[in-house]
Amino acid sequence: MALPNGPVTASSEAETVLFDLVDVYDRAYEAAAAELSLSSAQACVLGRLDTPRRMGALAEDLGCDASNITQIVVRLEALGLAAREPDPADRRGRLVARTPRGDEVNRRFATAFTFARTAVGRLSPDEQDLLTALLRKALG
């Protein structure tokens, strides 16, 4: 049973299973990213670039500091997977966009990261509907 490091202790079996799910999900995400020589953070940012985005918006969406996004974008640029370009709506601003190579790597990542599809595929359609409803309720 994989529980997070730190002060968090599961208070129920449901919470323990949720911790296990998050742990397995995270490890599968990291493994899929590593197959493409990416960190999980790089894969995450690359996946958010379906349309060009401002770095501040990326930071806000991911709940992290803008300086973290800057470091990740610099690495993605060095790999030829992303590029910064002028914002046509505000020439003072810059947008981050995937390059054609970045689009290809993102497609390969989506194919390599099968955890959620595999896990949900083990459930019947009725079980999937129930899981969806329960997760939405748990998320508030």
Side-chain angles (χ1 to χ4, degrees):
M1 180 176 353
L3 294 177
N5 293 331
V8 178
T9 302
S11 62
S12 67
E13 185 176 357
E15 198 172 341
T16 298
V17 172
L18 185 58
F19 286 152
D20 289 344
L21 176 75
V22 169
D23 184 56
V24 173
Y25 181 99
D26 285 348
R27 284 189 276 131
Y29 197 94
E30 287 175 16
E35 283 182 34
L36 300 167
S37 301
L38 296 175
S39 69
S40 55
Q42 290 166 340
C44 183
V45 169
L46 197 62
R48 299 277 179 145
L49 296 176
D50 289 334
T51 59
R53 312 271 311 275
R54 285 182 167 260
M55 288 199 287
L58 285 169
E60 186 175 315
D61 285 353
L62 296 171
C64 67
D65 190 80
S67 65
N68 291 345
I69 296 298
T70 300
Q71 292 173 16
I72 294 165
V73 168
V74 165
R75 290 185 198 117
L76 290 172
E77 286 178 311
L79 294 168
L81 304 178
R84 285 181 268 192
E85 55 191 39
D87 183 345
D90 179 0
R91 292 305 222 170
R92 296 169 297 171
R94 308 277 289 166
L95 298 175
V96 182
R98 276 196 307 244
T99 63
R101 183 167 178 233
D103 287 336
E104 175 58 28
V105 169
N106 190 61
R107 278 192 292 278
R108 289 174 45 211
F109 177 80
T111 301
F113 182 60
T114 62
F115 173 77
R117 286 187 297 276
T118 301
V120 171
R122 292 183 187 114
L123 305 175
S124 71
D126 286 343
E127 290 170 327
Q128 290 180 31
D129 290 344
L130 178 58
L131 177 63
T132 300
L134 292 172
L135 289 172
R136 283 192 175 133
K137 184 176 182 179
L139 290 172

